[in-house]
C-alpha cells in the first residue's frame, strides 16, 4: 500500500485518503486525480467510515497542485486538456464531513482542495496560496469563485490574482483554516475534530452539509473547461500555458508579455 501514489485506509471510523508523492511535494497527475475521485466515492459509501480525511505524505507538503511536468504534457498537448476535474465538487457533494490535514505547502490545486473541505486543520509551518496565473495553469469556474464564499471578494481576488503566499497564522486569520497547531500535535488535533463529528447525529450532519451545498449551487454549474471555452477556446494552442510550465521547470520568471 505504501508504494501506491494514492492510498486509502480506515481506522476507528475515519477514512484517510493520502497523496503519496513526497518527492514531488505531493503534486498530482491526472491519474492521481482520477484515483482520488474514485477513493472519495468509496469512502462516501463505506459504512465503516463516518469522517473522511485528505492529506499528503510527510511534513513538507499537503499538496502543491498539478505536477508541472504532467501539466506541460508531451507532443504539444497539456495534461490539463483531458482532465475532468470533479474532485472539489465531490467533496461538497459527499454526505460525510471531510477534513483537510495540512502539513507544509498547500499550493495551487492542493490549496483549493483544502478550502473546499468542510474543515482544514494545519500545522504551524504550513504555507498557503494559489499558483495558476503564475505558471499559466488556467484554473477557473467554481473552484475559483468559491473562494469568495470563504473569504469575501477582496481577499479572494488577492488570493487568486496575485498568487501570494500566506502563513498558517494568516490563513487562520483569513478563515481559510479552522485550527493551527504545532506539527507534532497535528494528528491529535485532526482526531479531535473527527471524534467530535463522530459523536454527533450522522443524518443531521448530512442535512447541515447539504444545506451549505444548496447555498453554493448557483456557482457550481461552471467548471474550468467551460470557462476556458468561454474566454480562450484556443488557450492550449497559443503557447501561454507552455511558457508558464517551461519557466517553472527552468526556474526562471515567465515572459507572458506577448500574450497580453
Amino acid at each position: 500500500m505504501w508504494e501506491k501514489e494514492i492510498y486509502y485506509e480506515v481506522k476507528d471510523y475515519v477514512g484517510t485518503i493520502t497523496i503519496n508523492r513526497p518527492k514531488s511535494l505531493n503534486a498530482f497527475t491526472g491519474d492521481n486525480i482520477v484515483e482520488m475521485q474514485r477513493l472519495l466515492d468509496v469512502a462516501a459509501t463505506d459504512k465503516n467510515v463516518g469522517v473522511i480525511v485528505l492529506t499528503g505524505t510527510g511534513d513538507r507538503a499537503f499538496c502543491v497542485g498539478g505536477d508541472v511536468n504532467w501539466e506541460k504534457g508531451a507532443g504539444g498537448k497539456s495534461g490539463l486538456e483531458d482532465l475532468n476535474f470533479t474532485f472539489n465538487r465531490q467533496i461538497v457533494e459527499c454526505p460525510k464531513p471531510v477534513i483537510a490535514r495540512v502539513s507544509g505547502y498547500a499550493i495551487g490545486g492542493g490549496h483549493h482542495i483544502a478550502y473546499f473541505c468542510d474543515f482544514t486543520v494545519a500545522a504551524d509551518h504550513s504555507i498557503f496560496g494559489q499558483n495558476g496565473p503564475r505558471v499559466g495553469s488556467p484554473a477557473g469556474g467554481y473552484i475559483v469563485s468559491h473562494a469568495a464564499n470563504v473569504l469575501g471578494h477582496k481577499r479572494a481576488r488577492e488570493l487568486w490574482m496575485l498568487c501570494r503566499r500566506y502563513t498558517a497564522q494568516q490563513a487562520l486569520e483569513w478563515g481559510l483554516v479552522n485550527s493551527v497547531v504545532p506539527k507534532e500535535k497535528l494528528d491529535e488535533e485532526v482526531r479531535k475534530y473527527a471524534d467530535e463529528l463522530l459523536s454527533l447525529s450522522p443524518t443531521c450532519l448530512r442535512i447541515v452539509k447539504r444545506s451549505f451545498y444548496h447555498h453554493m449551487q448557483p456557482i457550481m454549474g461552471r467548471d474550468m473547461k467551460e470557462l476556458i471555452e468561454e474566454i480562450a477556446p484556443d488557450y492550449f494552442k497559443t503557447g501561454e500555458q507552455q511558457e508558464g510550465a517551461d519557466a517553472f521547470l527552468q526556474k526562471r520568471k515567465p515572459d507572458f508579455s506577448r500574450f497580453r
Side-chain angles (χ1 to χ4, degrees), residues 28 62-66 85 88 107-114 129-131 160:
F28 54 71
F62 167 72
C63 173
V64 294
F85 193 94
N88 294 35
I107 303 295
H111 182 235
H112 61 67
I113 285 172
Q130 289 307 141
N131 225 28
W160 273 97

Side-chain angles (χ1 to χ4, degrees), residues 69-109:
N69 281 297
W70 161 71
E71 289 194 7
K72 179 181 176 182
K77 185 175 183 179
S78 168
L80 291 167
E81 292 186 64
D82 293 328
L83 179 64
N84 184 20
F85 193 94
T86 62
F87 192 57
N88 294 35
R89 184 188 298 273
Q90 280 181 270
I91 291 170
V92 297
E93 291 180 348
C94 176
K96 298 175 182 178
V98 182
I99 302 171
R101 174 197 175 276
V102 176
S103 186
Y105 288 105
I107 303 295

Side-chain angles (χ1 to χ4, degrees), residues 21 28 47 52 59 67 70 104 113 123-124 139-140 155-157 166 171 211 217 224 240 246:
R21 304 185 78 229
F28 54 71
K47 293 187 177 180
I52 300 166
D59 290 322
D67 187 312
W70 161 71
I113 285 172
D124 57 9
R155 291 294 196 190
R157 289 167 198 251
Y166 304 95
S211 301
Q217 269 190 314
M224 184 173 76
E240 187 171 348
D246 285 343

Side-chain angles (χ1 to χ4, degrees), residues 1 5 16 28 33 85 94 105 137 147 187 219 221-222 250:
M1 180 178 70
E5 292 191 338
T16 302
F28 54 71
I33 283 292
F85 193 94
C94 176
Y105 288 105
S137 183
D187 288 330
I219 68 168
R222 309 299 299 279
Q250 295 165 14

Side-chain angles (χ1 to χ4, degrees), residues 68 72 134-136 239-256:
V68 178
K72 179 181 176 182
R134 181 177 288 176
V135 297
E240 187 171 348
Q241 185 268 336
Q242 194 79 12
E243 167 61 15
D246 285 343
F248 179 86
L249 295 170
Q250 295 165 14
K251 298 182 179 180
R252 61 173 174 83
K253 188 175 181 179
D255 179 9
F256 291 126

